[in-house]
Amino acid sequence: MSNTAGQVIKCRAAVAWEAGKPLVIEEVEVAPPQAGEVRLKILFTSLCHTDVYFWEAKGQTPLFPRIFGHEAGGIVESVGEGVTNLKPGDHALPVFTGECGECPHCKSEESNMCNLLRINTDRGVMINDNKSRFSIKGQPVHHFVGTSTFSEYTVVHAGCVAKINPDAPLDKVCILSCGICTGLGATVNVAKPKPGSSVAIFGLGAVGLAAAEGARMSGASRIIGVDLVSSRFELAKKFGVNEFVNPKDHDKPVQQVIAEMTDGGVDRAVECTGSIQAMISAFECVHDGWGVAVLVGVPNKDDAFKTHPMNFLNERTLKGTFYGNYKPRTDLPNVVEQYMKGELELEKFITHSIPFSEINKAFDYMLKGESIRCIIRMEE
């Protein structure tokens, strides 16, 4: 075991004290892992839009003070009682959702929605004892989605930690913890386009670009990007997007535009915006007889959409996905290997790299739409 095992560790963390206010680098105390938990030394983390969304706290129950962060790579420092699949020194990716290995979802080949460890954005404590492992001068600090990677050390449930190849560069593969796998898996695991097929991607943010990368890796020949911001097309070309449609440039519904471009519709569509209109368009733009549309974007809570039942009767399929249907512990190590073999390209997602002390810059880049992924280096 490491020489800090079983002890409280004092380290730096970026703490959100209130909604929308810059994070403050504080000295925090990180308690040792309890049964079924792991303490990780975080080496690299990155900012995802979900962090920004809950930091702004415009639509949800605000929980502050809180340590955000859920895309990261690190090394196991110590493990709690009963943890057998991880040991100190292992290289690992913490994940906002988990795999207990015991529940019906984990035992099903078709699901990754673990009953025990499924994402819970309202929980600010560990599930073992409903307490936080973080404190500042005795005051507890809330966790975020069970990961809280904006800290040099964090405690995570062992079922939310994927052990990976120690040769993989953590400053690249850390981005697989959330958004990249969500988009990539939506295409390769759920839409499953065939070589030579056509795929429409709605929304060319980080998740949409990852979905496009999945289409490129699958050998799709036509990858049509759909976005309201035309300037995104140039960047999207790096991810295999070879045609672009801006719905604002047309006076008819975009699904009609795509159907006309593709002789009746695309083979697959992946929706990565959360907009109800985009969801309808993605479903209605796929070809009858074999078309499959996959919804990835998270809608507003009161949203509902309408489409004619004939769209289903004409043999179109509509599917949804969570985290690209990847089981974190089982599947993430294989995605890392796809990167190591050169099949999956991650470098092009990384637009910025900054030291931990400048973490607020990452929020600025994202809010201005300047970054896909900004890597935050914990050791300066």
Side-chain angles (χ1 to χ4, degrees), residues 294-315:
V294 179
L295 304 186
V296 183
V298 179
N300 293 325
K301 70 176 194 308
D302 297 326
D303 281 345
F305 69 77
K306 227 165 71 169
T307 188
H308 199 282
M310 280 311 297
N311 289 322
F312 292 98
L313 297 174
N314 287 334
E315 299 177 7

Side-chain angles (χ1 to χ4, degrees), residues 45-116:
T45 186
S46 64
L47 181 67
C48 167
H49 193 264
T50 308
D51 295 304
V52 177
Y53 180 75
F54 284 91
W55 165 74
E56 289 177 323
K58 288 176 180 169
Q60 343 69 20
T61 320
L63 266 189
F64 296 96
R66 200 170 201 181
I67 297 172
F68 287 102
H70 64 284
E71 284 190 355
I75 296 175
V76 175
E77 174 270 337
S78 61
V79 301
E81 184 190 328
V83 175
T84 54
N85 60 321
L86 292 156
K87 61 184 187 306
D90 283 346
H91 286 222
L93 304 180
V95 186
F96 64 91
T97 187
E99 185 181 350
C100 73
E102 300 299 322
C103 72
H105 284 279
C106 287
K107 287 181 173 172
S108 162
E109 288 181 11
E110 297 178 42
S111 175
N112 64 340
M113 300 186 73
C114 176
N115 279 342
L116 181 69

Side-chain angles (χ1 to χ4, degrees), residues 159-203:
C160 299
V161 179
K163 178 182 170 179
I164 62 162
N165 182 342
D167 295 332
L170 289 171
D171 61 333
K172 307 292 189 298
V173 298
C174 64
I175 65 172
L176 294 172
S177 283
C178 178
I180 307 309
C181 276
T182 296
L184 180 70
T187 304
V188 300
N189 295 335
V190 188
K192 298 180 180 170
K194 296 183 171 83
S197 62
S198 56
V199 182
I201 309 286
F202 286 75

Side-chain angles (χ1 to χ4, degrees), residues 239-259:
F239 300 84
V241 175
N242 47 29
E243 298 175 65
F244 180 77
V245 178
N246 185 333
K248 291 195 290 198
D249 295 344
H250 301 273
D251 51 13
K252 53 186 154 190
V254 71
Q255 53 266 48
Q256 210 175 319
V257 174
I258 292 170

